[in-house]
Structure formats: C-alpha cells, structure tokens
Amino acid sequence: MRKLYFLLPGTDGKFACGGLWAELKALNLVQQFCSADVVTYRQREKDKLFIDDLLKEKNLNEVIFVISWGFDVAQLVAKLKQYNVVYHAHSAGYPFRLKASIPIITVSRYTMGFWGEKSPNSLIYYLPNQISDEFKNLGFERDIDVLVQTRKSSEYLINSLIPALQKRCKVLIVNSYVEDLPGLFNRAKVYLYDSAEYWTQQGVSEGFGLQPMEALACGCQVFSSVNGGLADYLDPGFNCYKIAGYSQEYDVQRILRVIESSVAFSLSEEFLAEYRTENIIKRFQVILDELNGFFDHKIQQPSNIKSLTKMRMTKLLAQKIYGKLKKKYFKV
C-alpha cells in the first residue's frame, strides 16, 4: 500500500479551523493501518515535511498526496500533476474542476452528490467525519439552558434570537476555543447552530457540520439550519429542530418548550455507529485498497471517457434540440 502524505498549509493556530481538525483526525485514523504523514506547503514547521523539499525526492510514484484545503486545491493540483493525488472534499462549491485522474473522497453524501454531478468520470467515495468516542451522554445535570458558539452563527441568531432568549433563560455564548467541548455539550440542554448565512457569504457549502452531531451524541437537543452536509444526518422533528423557523417568537416558543420538558433526549449508538472510529477505519481501508489499484491501472492506461466540458454540453444540447425538431417536422 502506498504511503499517504496529507498536505496542509500549516498546523498551528493561524490555520486552526474545523477542516484542519477533521483532516488531522483522518490522518490519525489512517496511521493505525497505513504509513502516513503531514506535509505543510505554506509555512515550514519543526519536525514536519515541507512540500518543496519532498518533491526533490525520487520514487514519489509510490506515494499518494491527499489535498483538502479548498482555496488551495487548484494550485496544488498544478504543482502535483505528475503524481498520485486524492482530493479529500470537506465542502462543496469551490470554483475549480478536477480531472478524472484525481479520485475524490467526500465527508458527506451531500458533497458526494455535488462531485458526482461536477466530476462524473472521477472515482468518488464517501468517508464521513469521525465523531470521537468522547462525545457521549454522560448523564450530567444540565445547568446551561442554551449554548451557542458565535463562529459561523447568523446575524439573526446573535443579534435577535439570543437577546430574546437571555430574557427568559440561561444562555452561554462561546466565542473562543473550548478545551472540553464534550463536557460543555453535556451541561447544555439546547445547542443553537445556524450556519447557512455564513456559508452563503463564503460562496461554498457546509461540508459536514461536526458540532450539531457532537452535541446530539452528548444528549443535547439541537436547533440548527439544515444546509449542505447537515442534511445528511439532521432530521427536523425527529432528532433536531429547524432554527430560524418563520418568526423569532416561534423559535423562542419552541426552544423554551424543549428547555422546560422533563423528557431526556438520547441518540442511539446505532445511529452514531456510522461516524464512530471502527466504521471509519473499515471504510478507509476499503477506499485505500481501491485507490492503490486505481493508481496501478493509471500507469498503464490513460483516461478515455469524454468529459462533460462546456463545449461538449453545448454539443449535446444542440443534438437534443435537433433530434426534437427532426422528429416533429420530418416525422422520422
């Protein structure tokens, strides 16, 4: 099996975000059965490989480069065009296209569907993000009525809904890194997450949305938007509530009802099993076996399936229109 190099711009606080943590989690999981390392490409870091140094080495056909940082993908693809590259897609909507020679691993079925349309000739796989085992219902007394993290939150959530709730219940607003997030989710009755506005402004889509899933795993009720990858697992009325539902008053009414309810919420382990370590590792092994076979094949065989370029789409549309006109006027 080929060695994997996970390409990241850097790993310090400057690049800290959900995508970085998810990629480092994926690296830790794959290291349990395969050789894998981090390679940085924007900044040099102590005890880590740097891309320009690595590319001076020989026999790089026996490695796989895993790229994931959406805004850097086009640049990295050009730099690594002669090597084996896999795109680990966390979000959808970036303005680049990929050749069929670059397989795509997606973190949600939503993202898989996006790339299934945009790159129909690429190999595409589904590997959900891991929900660590530490995210579980510990049965704590919940002394926080409403928990919200400001990052990615909508203007409505911060400026309207939260002030209205603060008059009626205990609200904790978090605007910095939390060391013990499982503990915090276990103390909260309700977690609010509204990222649709944020991702629309970014011009890309929510790839997975870890926090609502982690909150659910801890027995915390979730009011959330259902944009992008959130729609993979959120099911309003059954395991969550849709936030920003028609009016602020209606949101407040529903949230207070949940806070005051004596019925404990618990998500089954069967539901969570898809996102737990054991399943992720099993899926990863299958995917990497297939990728190694594909890269062996690529050495011997060039791609020969026509791509859906703009020119080809125009040609297919013209053929379709011509076929309809021919059938209508010439009775063929």
Side-chain angles (χ1 to χ4, degrees), residues 155-289:
E155 182 179 45
Y156 160 72
L157 186 59
I158 299 301
N159 295 339
S160 298
L161 183 57
I162 290 301
L165 287 170
Q166 286 175 320
K167 299 174 183 178
R168 307 284 296 274
C169 61
K170 184 177 180 181
V171 179
L172 177 62
I173 302 172
V174 177
N175 55 19
S176 60
Y177 176 74
V178 178
E179 188 69 35
D180 182 18
L181 191 56
L184 197 57
F185 282 144
N186 268 277
R187 291 176 54 200
K189 296 176 183 177
V190 169
Y191 176 64
L192 305 184
Y193 187 83
D194 188 10
S195 72
E197 182 179 278
Y198 170 85
W199 287 109
T200 298
Q201 291 176 347
Q202 297 298 309
V204 293
S205 300
E206 177 86 78
F208 184 88
L210 275 170
Q211 286 76 28
M213 172 69 82
E214 292 169 341
L216 290 172
C218 293
C220 181
Q221 296 269 31
V222 169
F223 281 74
S224 175
S225 52
V226 290
N227 48 292
L230 293 166
D232 263 35
Y233 63 86
L234 289 181
D235 191 2
F238 296 89
N239 67 12
C240 73
Y241 299 86
K242 170 67 174 63
I243 202 169
Y246 182 70
S247 71
Q248 174 188 304
E249 291 75 14
Y250 190 52
D251 274 354
V252 170
Q253 176 186 321
R254 290 184 297 146
I255 291 168
L256 292 177
R257 186 185 302 128
V258 169
I259 291 171
E260 294 163 2
S261 174
S262 59
V263 179
F265 172 77
S266 181
L267 203 60
S268 72
E269 272 303 317
E270 288 78 13
F271 180 90
L272 291 167
E274 181 178 349
Y275 309 95
R276 294 298 196 189
T277 303
E278 183 180 0
N279 183 58
I280 304 300
I281 289 177
K282 286 180 179 179
R283 295 186 69 87
F284 226 146
Q285 289 174 318
V286 171
I287 291 169
L288 289 181
D289 282 343

Side-chain angles (χ1 to χ4, degrees), residues 129-155:
N129 282 328
Q130 177 205 22
I131 303 300
S132 304
D133 293 340
E134 62 189 338
F135 289 96
K136 60 184 177 181
N137 192 342
L138 299 174
F140 289 174
E141 181 179 351
R142 299 184 182 270
D143 60 330
I144 301 169
D145 290 327
V146 175
L147 172 66
V148 61
Q149 293 171 295
T150 55
R151 187 172 182 272
K152 298 182 184 178
S153 291
S154 67
E155 182 179 45

Side-chain angles (χ1 to χ4, degrees), residues 86-89 98 102-106 115 119 122-126:
V86 172
Y87 175 42
H88 192 192
L98 295 174
I102 300 178
I104 303 166
I105 300 175
T106 67
W115 282 107
S119 295
S122 298
L123 293 179
I124 301 176
Y125 302 93
Y126 166 60

